[in-house]
Amino acid sequence: MAGRFSTRRVAAPDLVPADETVLEGVSWTVFPEAAQEPAAAAANPNPLLTDKLLDAKVRLHRRLIEEINLSALEKLPEEEIRGHVQQLVSQYVLVERLALNTQELNDFVSEILDEMTGLGPLEPLLKDQTVNDILINGHECVYVERGGVLEPTGVRFKDEAHLLRIINKIVSAVGRRIDESHPMCDARLLDGSRVNVAVRPVAIDGPLVSIRKFSKKPFNLNRLVEVGALRPQMAELLAAAVKARVTLIISGGTGSGKTTMLNALSAFISEKERLLTIEDAAELQLQQPHVGRMETRPPNTEGKGEIRQRDLVKNALRMRPDRVILGECRGEEAFDMLQAMNTGHEGSMATIHANTPRDAVSRLEQMIGMAGLPMTVASIRGQIAAAIRVIVQLSRLSDGKRRVMSIAEITGLEGDIIQMQEIFKFVRTGTAADGTVQGHFQATGVRPRFLADLIALGIKIPGSYFDPSQPL
C-alpha cells in the first residue's frame, strides 16, 4: 500500500496554519480559509461540488489506481481499506494544499472510496432509500424520483469522460458493452437495479442513464394494500388466483409498478413448484427455493451470438418448468409464451406495456403477428382466450401514486371477439388542491368464472367481495 506521496508537512508560505490534527497517523493542516464562519458554511453547504475538488478527486482516483493493488485491496475489511485510503488522501490534501476541515476531509475520503470500489457520485443516491429512480442527462444534470415526483440533485460528474468511465464499470460487470457501434444497452447493478444507457451518437447532448432502483425490502401484497395500491378484497382474490394456477398478465405503463406486482404475487406460488424466469435484465426477486433465472444476451462485436427472449422461452419449455415467468413480453416471444400457457404451464405470468386490459389483448395480437407465422386473426385470438384468464391493469397517476386500475377476466371468444368482464376497478372522482388524485375502488358486481376452480381447491372467496353496494 506504499504510495509515492511525501509525508512531510506542507503549508503555503503566505498561509499561517490555524490548527493541526493527527488522523490515522498522518499530520495534516487546516488552513484559515477552511475554518469558515457559519454564514459562509451555509452559503457553500457542499464544497466537494466545486470544480477544484471535483478535479482533485478524479486526479487522485487515477493516481491511487496506479499505486494500489485493487484486487488485494478488495480482500481487506472495509475499515482497513478506509484507513489506508484515508492516510494517502490526507497526504495528498497536504501536497495539493486543499483547504478542508475534518468533516470535509472525511467526506472527501468517502467520495474517493466510492470512485475506487463503487460508482463514484452515484453511490450516495444508490444508498438513499427514498430514491426510486436515478435519471442522468449528461454529466452535469442528474434527477431523482422520490415518491413518484422528479426533482433535481446537486450530484454531477467532472466531465463526460468521468461519466463514461462509471457507465463502462456498470455494463462490463454484467458482460455487456457500450460504444459508438452499440450506443444503447440494458444492464443491471449487483443488487438487481435495472439500468438503461444511451451514449453518443444517439444521445445528442451526452450519455443518458436511467437506473430503476430495486428496493432492499421487496413490496409484498400487504404492503401494497397499506400504501393504497389496491384493497384487501382485491389482494385476496389475486393471491387465490395465483395459488390456483390461474394464468395472469400484468399490464401497465412505464413505472406503473408491474415488476413490483409480479414479485408480490409470486410469493403465493407453492415452494414445491419449479419456476423459470426470463428477462432482458434480471430484476425479479422470487422467494421460492427452486428458481432458474435466464437473461438475454446482446450480439458480440461481430454481430453474432445474440440470444433473444424467444430463444430462452423455447429452451425453458425443455427444462421441466411448472411455471414460466416472463419479465416483460414485448415481441415475437408472445407466441411461445401462449403456447407454454396452453400446454401444461398454467399459472405462468408475464408483464406487458398497455394502458387498458383491452389494449393489452390487442398488443398481444400484434406481438404474435411479429413471429411471422401463417395464423389468422381468429386463431390468434383463440390462443389468447384459451391461455390467459386474468389481466391486472396498473397505472401511475398524476400525483405519482400507483394504483391497480382494473382486474379483468377473459371469459372466451364470441365469434372473433375476445370477451372480457371487469371484476374490480378504480373510480377517479377528482383532484385535491395539492394535486392528490381522489377516488375509490369498487366491485362491478360480476363474479369471476374461475371461482369454481378456487372452490375445487378448497379456497373460498366471500360473495360479498363482489357486491358493488359494499365498500371495499
Side-chain angles (χ1 to χ4, degrees):
M1 293 295 298
R4 300 190 208 128
F5 299 122
S6 168
T7 56
R8 62 187 173 83
R9 193 178 202 76
V10 178
D14 57 335
L15 296 176
V16 180
D19 187 22
E20 285 188 359
T21 309
V22 176
L23 187 62
E24 298 290 341
V26 178
S27 179
W28 60 286
T29 302
V30 179
F31 298 113
E33 290 92 335
Q36 303 178 40
E37 294 295 326
N44 188 14
N46 192 353
L48 292 180
L49 292 179
T50 64
D51 288 336
K52 183 178 179 182
L53 286 176
L54 273 172
D55 184 60
K57 182 179 68 174
V58 174
R59 284 190 287 113
L60 177 56
H61 174 237
R62 289 173 181 164
R63 195 163 176 179
L64 289 174
I65 292 296
E66 295 172 2
E67 300 189 9
I68 293 176
N69 184 343
L70 279 181
S71 60
L73 188 72
E74 289 173 354
K75 298 175 184 177
L76 296 175
E78 185 176 344
E79 287 304 315
E80 195 171 337
I81 295 174
R82 188 177 185 90
H84 285 304
V85 173
Q86 191 146 17
Q87 187 175 15
L88 293 175
V89 170
S90 300
Q91 296 171 21
Y92 180 84
V93 166
L94 289 174
V95 174
E96 292 289 318
R97 300 178 182 178
L98 298 176
L100 300 178
N101 60 33
T102 306
Q103 180 59 48
E104 291 165 0
L105 179 70
N106 288 335
D107 291 342
F108 192 51
V109 170
S110 296
E111 291 209 359
I112 291 297
L113 283 169
D114 288 341
E115 284 286 341
M116 294 176 64
T117 61
L119 298 178
L122 295 180
E123 284 296 322
L125 299 180
L126 293 171
K127 293 172 184 174
D128 188 343
Q129 297 297 314
T130 65
V131 172
N132 300 319
D133 283 79
I134 303 171
L135 306 169
I136 303 170
N137 307 324
H139 68 279
E140 292 186 316
C141 181
V142 180
Y143 280 79
V144 296
E145 181 197 286
R146 285 189 174 94
V149 180
L150 290 175
E151 57 186 64
T153 71
V155 172
R156 64 187 179 97
F157 299 82
K158 176 179 180 290
D159 50 29
E160 191 168 318
H162 183 201
L163 175 54
L164 284 172
R165 189 166 71 249
I166 299 297
I167 290 172
N168 279 304
K169 200 171 186 179
I170 294 171
V171 300
S172 62
V174 291
R176 305 202 173 187
R177 66 191 184 90
I178 186 106
D179 51 36
E180 285 189 3
S181 59
H182 290 82
M184 295 181 292
C185 179
D186 282 315
R188 56 185 162 79
L189 303 182
L190 294 178
D191 65 355
S193 298
R194 184 172 65 195
V195 182
N196 179 268
V197 180
V199 300
R200 297 180 191 272
V202 297
I204 299 170
D205 300 318
L208 300 173
V209 184
S210 304
I211 301 176
R212 170 70 52 80
K213 283 179 58 182
F214 234 52
S215 173
K216 298 293 185 291
K217 295 180 180 178
F219 276 58
N220 55 32
L221 267 186
N222 290 334
R223 176 69 178 136
L224 290 175
V225 170
E226 288 174 15
V227 300
L230 72 169
R231 301 299 299 149
Q233 297 90 330
M234 301 162 68
E236 188 175 336
L237 180 68
L238 290 177
V242 172
K243 290 178 184 176
R245 297 177 65 92
V246 173
T247 303
L248 283 163
I249 292 288
I250 299 171
S251 167
T254 300
S256 59
K258 298 186 297 298
T259 303
T260 299
M261 178 62 73
L262 189 55
N263 275 321
L265 293 178
S266 69
F268 298 94
I269 299 174
S270 168
E271 293 190 352
K272 297 179 181 178
E273 296 184 37
R274 171 172 166 79
L275 310 180
L276 289 176
T277 67
I278 297 167
E279 301 172 83
D280 269 336
E283 56 180 326
L284 291 173
Q285 294 178 314
L286 304 190
Q287 307 304 312
Q288 285 72 15
H290 199 162
V291 178
R293 304 168 73 208
M294 293 192 288
E295 188 177 59
T296 60
R297 188 179 75 182
N300 59 19
T301 53
E302 299 173 351
K304 299 179 181 178
E306 180 183 15
I307 298 177
R308 300 171 302 164
Q309 282 204 98
R310 186 176 188 187
D311 303 320
L312 294 178
V313 173
K314 287 180 178 178
N315 192 73
L317 300 183
R318 304 186 183 102
M319 300 173 72
R320 199 248 173 247
D322 288 304
R323 304 192 199 208
V324 176
I325 298 180
L326 203 59
E328 184 177 334
C329 185
R330 64 177 70 175
E332 67 269 20
E333 68 273 5
F335 174 75
D336 301 280
M337 179 190 73
L338 289 182
Q339 292 293 311
M341 293 173 174
N342 272 325
T343 55
H345 303 92
E346 294 84 2
S348 294
M349 294 187 280
T351 71
I352 187 172
H353 278 270
N355 293 325
T356 66
R358 181 63 67 180
D359 283 347
V361 171
S362 298
R363 288 214 63 204
L364 275 174
E365 291 180 26
Q366 294 162 9
M367 288 187 286
I368 293 171
M370 292 167 65
L373 299 171
M375 296 178 65
T376 64
V377 172
S379 62
I380 291 174
R381 291 177 178 172
Q383 289 276 339
I384 294 172
I388 298 170
R389 300 286 299 278
V390 174
I391 297 177
V392 181
Q393 181 67 42
L394 304 175
S395 181
R396 181 172 63 176
L397 303 178
S398 56
D399 60 359
K401 294 181 180 178
R402 295 160 173 87
R403 295 278 189 274
V404 175
M405 302 302 291
S406 174
I407 298 176
E409 180 185 27
I410 293 179
T411 57
L413 273 179
E414 187 172 313
D416 286 345
I417 306 300
I418 294 176
Q419 298 299 305
M420 300 175 64
Q421 58 183 16
E422 194 170 43
I423 302 166
F424 295 108
K425 63 182 178 179
F426 178 77
V427 180
R428 182 170 178 168
T429 57
T431 304
D434 61 357
T436 302
V437 173
Q438 298 173 325
H440 61 273
F441 294 98
Q442 179 181 318
T444 62
V446 175
R447 294 168 62 91
R449 294 190 182 182
F450 62 81
L451 281 182
D453 298 338
L454 303 185
I455 293 171
L457 292 171
I459 303 172
K460 295 184 179 179
I461 303 293
S464 59
Y465 285 8
F466 311 107
D467 185 351
S469 64
Q470 299 289 326
L472 291 179

